[in-house]
Amino acid sequence: MKKIYLYTLAGAFTFLGAGCNKLKDFGDVNNNPAATVTPIPSALLSNVEASLGGYGSTGTEAISGGQYAQYFTETQYSGTSLYNLPQNSFTGNYAGNLNNLQLVINQNPNKNMVNVAKILQQYIFWIVTDSWGDVPYSEALKGSANILPKYDTQETIYKGMITTLTDAINSFDSSAISGDIIYGGDVASWKRMANSLKLLIAVQMSNVSSASTIASTAAKEAVASGVITDNSQNFLLQYPGGNYKSAWWNLYNGRKDFAEAKTLTDITASTSDPRQAAFGGESEAAGNVNTSSIGVPYGLARLTVTAFTDANPKWARVLRGDYRLENGYVMLISAAETWLARAEAANLGWTTESTSAAYKSGVTASFAQWGAGTPSTAYLNQFPVTDTKDADITHTQVKNISTQRWISSYPDGHMAWDIWRKTGWPSLTPAPDATNSSKKIVRRFVYATSEYNTNGANVNAAVARLTGGDSQDSRVWWDTRKDKDNN
């Protein structure tokens, strides 16, 4: 593969179609597919939004993260959950979604289209940098002007994401957002989404003392400007079915390779958490309404795990069947996640909000999201959170907020992995049948061989900055907590 193709395909592909705002309408045009035409921004935006579901469900970053954070475990071909070398490539993100969004920016149809494209780029960059660490950012997506971009430090990327989000939030105007299949062109919704993303990014770097001023300022700004507060405002991709089926439906399309891990079902069982009724289903059949709380033991070799599933045919599939419909949804940022991030920010002293009130609002929003009613006082008392500040990650306050963040983010594996790596909660036991030499839970993806072959000088510079080198045990910039339980 030529180097120019790794980080941008600007001008090589075109996307045809009129402005559309429904997923079912995307691509329904009558143009010559062999013709070379100017990319149409609305179609590009629709195309990217239609593919976002993987980032919160079954894409590599999410499904692997969900296994490392022990939401899921493998039932057929144990590998990722046993910590096989995660030598994954990130270039598909650049050549695909990031590049398509850059084409929108370069076309500059209007201020709001550009703002939405920049916001979505930061969402994708966030997932990429959290998975690998240092990656191309400031020099990426430049086309032939720079085919060998440097790897920015994750600190630089985080600061860049916050700055870009802030600029976009503050520069929306009355121009139309065409091709928006998520919020239908509603500016207020995009501002809330961008503020919510900004808040989550700020909280993710809260353990880095040198970045505390930037992080706390970003969190305060996001909350003051307005984040997602209600499930009706959630950032999610709703699939129409047919040609555009939910990623969760596809997970069991002729296969049953993944299960809800016993790690999660043990936690929900020990606290009588009613959300488990939606979290796990006893059948891989879409639409089946029977629930299951029989989590599959995490991180077992194939023969051991298949012996368990054979003996327990109602083992918990990921999500109850009615949450895996063809026309289902994939959650990307929820009200529960933003409320609980606000609770963490308040606990850190970044805002003057009530920690306990934000925490309760987060758990309440999560219960509502999953049709689990309202959390009882007895349930909340199992995870007590008060307004007394307690920023030490070894203390109960952060433990309880983080554990609820982990539960409420289900089944978004990227979020779960981020939460566990940053806080150590919930406390996880590594896979019993781990195949890696350290036997530790994976901390980051390893750079692909193609990076060394095509952008060697820059990837090697990034590797030199990693304590421990290009290893799955090395830590990304914000992962500074001390080990607990040899993890």
Side-chain angles (χ1 to χ4, degrees):
M1 179 179 288
K2 294 181 180 180
K3 296 175 182 177
I4 193 172
Y5 292 157
L6 287 177
Y7 303 103
T8 177
L9 296 180
F13 295 106
T14 58
F15 293 84
L16 311 176
C20 49
N21 56 20
K22 294 182 180 178
L23 189 57
K24 68 182 179 63
D25 296 329
F26 177 68
D28 186 16
V29 293
N30 188 26
N31 295 88
N32 177 4
T36 301
V37 297
T38 301
I40 298 175
S42 60
L44 288 165
L45 181 61
S46 295
N47 186 55
V48 171
E49 290 185 355
S51 67
L52 287 177
Y55 292 111
S57 59
T58 58
T60 300
E61 298 90 347
I63 200 70
S64 296
Q67 290 172 81
Y68 302 146
Q70 299 187 22
Y71 275 172
F72 322 129
T73 193
E74 290 159 312
T75 62
Q76 299 289 322
Y77 304 104
S78 302
T80 300
S81 57
L82 303 187
Y83 315 146
N84 286 359
L85 183 69
Q87 193 164 35
N88 302 312
S89 175
F90 52 64
T91 53
N93 294 289
Y94 290 83
N97 287 331
L98 288 170
N99 181 69
N100 289 343
L101 293 167
Q102 191 62 42
L103 289 173
V104 175
I105 295 168
N106 294 345
Q107 287 280 96
N108 192 24
N110 62 50
K111 175 64 74 173
N112 286 353
M113 290 284 288
V114 170
N115 284 336
V116 170
K118 288 182 177 180
I119 290 165
L120 290 176
Q121 278 187 333
Q122 305 321 301
Y123 174 74
I124 296 169
F125 274 126
W126 180 43
I127 292 171
V128 171
T129 187
D130 282 359
S131 300
W132 282 269
D134 296 1
V135 295
Y137 182 73
S138 63
E139 293 184 359
L141 310 174
K142 303 294 186 183
S144 59
N146 190 345
I147 63 173
L148 298 175
K150 70 177 182 182
Y151 283 47
D152 291 280
T153 66
Q154 190 174 46
E155 178 178 7
T156 298
I157 296 168
Y158 258 64
K159 291 176 180 177
M161 291 188 297
I162 287 175
T163 297
T164 301
L165 288 170
T166 301
D167 290 344
I169 291 163
N170 293 334
S171 62
F172 275 101
D173 58 21
S174 60
S175 56
I177 305 171
S178 302
D180 176 15
I181 62 175
I182 294 180
Y183 285 130
D186 183 64
V187 169
S189 294
W190 279 108
K191 285 184 177 180
R192 281 192 295 265
M193 177 272 176
N195 277 313
S196 300
L197 177 58
K198 181 177 172 179
L199 171 64
L200 291 170
I201 288 172
V203 167
Q204 194 60 36
M205 60 179 185
S206 63
N207 286 350
V208 183
S209 58
S210 62
S212 60
T213 300
I214 293 172
S216 61
T217 298
K220 284 195 285 279
E221 289 176 349
V223 172
S225 180
V227 297
I228 293 169
T229 59
D230 183 84
N231 285 321
S232 65
Q233 303 166 348
N234 287 342
F235 180 53
L236 59 82
L237 182 63
Q238 182 75 53
Y239 292 82
N243 291 330
Y244 297 95
K245 296 179 177 66
S246 164
W248 290 122
W249 180 88
N250 279 316
L251 185 68
Y252 293 107
N253 182 19
R255 306 188 66 87
K256 46 183 179 180
D257 296 342
F258 296 94
E260 185 182 356
K262 189 173 182 291
T263 306
L264 178 54
T265 58
D266 280 353
I267 290 175
T268 56
S270 68
T271 58
S272 299
D273 194 322
R275 289 172 288 186
Q276 179 56 42
F279 284 179
E282 70 170 33
S283 168
E284 63 271 15
N288 186 297
V289 296
N290 295 322
T291 190
S292 174
S293 58
I294 306 174
V296 174
Y298 176 76
L300 300 180
R302 182 180 183 182
L303 292 180
T304 306
V305 74
T306 54
F308 179 89
T309 55
D310 288 346
N312 297 274
K314 295 183 179 180
W315 53 269
R317 279 66 170 177
V318 177
L319 296 173
R320 195 173 65 210
D322 53 341
Y323 283 92
R324 286 188 272 103
L325 300 176
E326 287 189 18
N327 62 344
Y329 68 86
V330 170
M331 185 66 67
L332 300 173
I333 299 177
S334 69
E337 289 171 328
T338 56
W339 275 115
L340 291 167
R342 289 170 71 168
E344 185 166 339
N347 183 61
L348 289 165
W350 289 358
T351 69
T352 58
E353 290 192 289
S354 166
T355 304
S356 60
Y359 173 79
K360 183 177 180 180
S361 292
V363 179
T364 300
S366 180
F367 271 53
Q369 176 188 335
W370 294 106
T374 303
S376 66
T377 300
Y379 178 83
L380 291 171
N381 285 344
Q382 296 177 94
F383 302 91
V385 171
T386 70
D387 289 333
T388 301
K389 301 293 185 294
D390 174 11
D392 187 332
I393 65 171
T394 66
H395 289 182
T396 300
Q397 189 93 329
V398 169
K399 173 185 176 181
N400 290 339
I401 293 172
S402 300
T403 301
Q404 275 301 324
R405 287 190 68 201
W406 181 83
I407 297 170
S408 298
S409 295
Y410 183 82
D412 184 341
H414 163 254
M415 284 295 298
W417 193 27
D418 268 10
I419 292 163
W420 176 79
R421 284 183 291 170
K422 184 176 80 74
T423 69
W425 303 111
S427 183
L428 303 178
T429 300
D433 294 336
T435 58
N436 58 325
S437 59
S438 71
K439 308 299 181 184
K440 292 183 179 181
I441 298 171
V442 174
R443 311 300 295 211
R444 61 177 288 274
F445 290 166
V446 175
Y447 296 125
T449 301
S450 59
E451 289 301 294
Y452 289 95
N453 292 337
T454 59
N455 197 7
N458 287 314
V459 71
N460 281 310
V463 170
R465 294 191 291 264
L466 278 167
T467 301
D470 190 11
S471 163
Q472 64 196 60
D473 294 331
S474 298
R475 296 168 181 247
V476 298
W477 167 69
W478 47 255
D479 183 359
T480 64
R481 71 173 180 84
K482 294 181 179 180
D483 278 348
K484 297 194 291 83
D485 304 324
N486 198 36
N487 292 338

